[in-house]
Structure formats: structure tokens, C-alpha cells
Amino acid sequence: PCVEEGMRKAAACIVDDPAMQQKVDFVTGGTVPVTLAPLGADSLFFVDDAQGRAALRQRLKLPEGIPLFVSPRAFCDLYGHDVIVEGFAALAKRRDALLLLKTFIPSSWTPAIDKQSQAVNTGEDDAQRQYLRTVQKIATRAGVWNKIRFCGSLSLEDLRNLYGIANALINMPTRDGFPVTFAEAAACGAEVVTRWHPAYAVP
């Protein structure tokens, strides 16, 4: 009911799936203009930038020759970082590897990367802080906390280059629409390990 009421009061609605146009028309009685904006990747993601990849690797202190797995979705329980860390731990027991989690918070959140699992979170989001503790406990118990790295917001160029140096992008949300991450990964030729959701079948 809340979604329907919100849609009826909207000045316009942007959708990324043709089927959604009909749904919006049905809910609003055709009173709200609908624009179809198909998902896609900026052409920047198709550019090969070996120098940029090397510079990013150095800046994020990611050594060559060690497999790198990246979770590019926002750091919260919806995106299943606890599940990702558990899976990574099973892999990291068999071979050396690194896991990089994007926080999407460039300056307010700086988890320490150390064996004592001490983290600093100066943000105000208690839920995110608690979720970090949960992920830390899982990683510490599994002995892989020192193999986890964090980074904040990245420029589009750096995001592309991160996809370029990753062995795989890991995507494990509990629910999801079709993420632009998939289109960007395809443009970069990046592998994706994912949980499946019905929305992924549409494109």
C-alpha cells in the first residue's frame, strides 16, 4: 500500500524493465509519466588501463600474485558480507587470498586491519557498526581477519580498475533487483560469483 500511494503521488517514475512500465500504469491508473532507462555500463568501463590498475593496487596495498576477491556492494547485512566472509574463509584455509570489502564511506569509517580485530567507526550508523562487529567475529574465529581489506568510495576509473584486478566479484544479497554491477563487470570482463534472484533473469 505504501508503494502504491507513493507512486500515485510521484511527478514521474523511471523504470529499468519494460514490464515495470505496465505495472506503474496499473498502479497509478496511467496518471504518472513513466520513462524507461535501461541498465547499462558507462563506456569508461570498456577502457583497458594497465597503469591505472597498477597504481590502484599499490594505493590499496594489494600485492601481485595473491588472488583478490571483491565485494562491490554497499556494506550492510542486505548484501550478505557475513556469508561472503564465511565462504572466503573456507577458500583462504586452502590457499593464500585477499578479500576486499567496499564500505561506500570514504572518510568516516576506517576499520583497522589487524589480528586483534580492533575497528574504528566514527560514523553514526549503529546498525552498520554492529554489522561490522558481526563480520569481524566471523573472520576472527575463522582466522582470516588479517586477509580482509576495506576501501571507501572510488572514482569510476578506480572502480573499473578494481574490477580489472579482481579474480572475482562476489555478490550475495538476500534480495535484489538487477544490479548495474553485473553490467559493469561484463564490460570489464570480470568474473562474478553470485547468489541467484528472480530479477536477474529479466535482462
Side-chain angles (χ1 to χ4, degrees):
C2 294
V3 173
E4 292 178 13
E5 185 180 351
M7 278 190 180
R8 284 193 290 271
K9 291 180 178 179
C13 189
I14 300 170
V15 298
D16 58 20
D17 173 8
M20 284 302 297
Q21 290 177 293
Q22 297 171 346
K23 291 178 183 177
V24 173
D25 284 342
F26 175 77
V27 168
T28 65
T31 59
V32 176
V34 182
T35 300
L36 177 65
L39 286 164
D42 191 303
S43 59
L44 171 148
F45 281 82
F46 291 89
V47 175
D48 184 23
D49 182 10
Q51 282 186 320
R53 289 195 299 272
L56 181 67
R57 189 184 284 279
Q58 187 173 20
R59 200 162 78 240
L60 296 180
K61 298 180 174 62
L62 302 170
E64 293 270 7
I66 296 177
L68 173 67
F69 298 91
V70 174
S71 172
R73 311 295 295 274
F75 191 86
C76 65
D77 59 354
L78 168 65
Y79 292 112
H81 292 85
D82 51 331
V83 174
I84 291 171
V85 168
E86 286 173 353
F88 172 74
L91 168 78
K93 286 175 184 172
R94 297 194 303 271
R95 63 172 302 175
D96 205 7
L98 292 174
L99 173 64
L100 186 140
L101 306 177
K102 272 187 97 295
T103 65
F104 280 24
I105 302 175
S107 58
S108 65
W109 187 38
T110 52
I113 307 305
D114 60 60
K115 293 175 183 174
Q116 288 74 42
S117 300
Q118 297 300 314
V120 177
N121 184 336
T122 56
E124 298 176 358
D125 189 336
D126 287 337
Q128 190 179 63
R129 186 161 44 241
Q130 184 57 45
Y131 188 57
L132 170 61
R133 289 193 195 104
T134 298
V135 170
Q136 282 180 301
K137 285 177 184 174
I138 293 168
T140 302
R141 272 198 306 268
V144 296
W145 179 242
N146 61 340
K147 296 183 177 186
I148 296 176
R149 304 288 184 269
F150 291 83
C151 73
S153 294
L154 296 173
S155 67
L156 280 180
E157 289 87 352
D158 281 344
L159 184 61
R160 173 200 63 205
N161 291 331
L162 180 61
Y163 289 0
I165 62 176
N167 290 76
L169 306 180
I170 314 298
N171 181 70
M172 293 289 159
T174 54
R175 62 184 186 278
D176 207 7
F178 185 85
V180 172
T181 301
F182 286 0
E184 294 169 345
C188 294
E191 300 282 346
V192 177
V193 175
T194 186
R195 174 179 282 167
W196 189 256
H197 292 284
Y200 297 174
V202 173

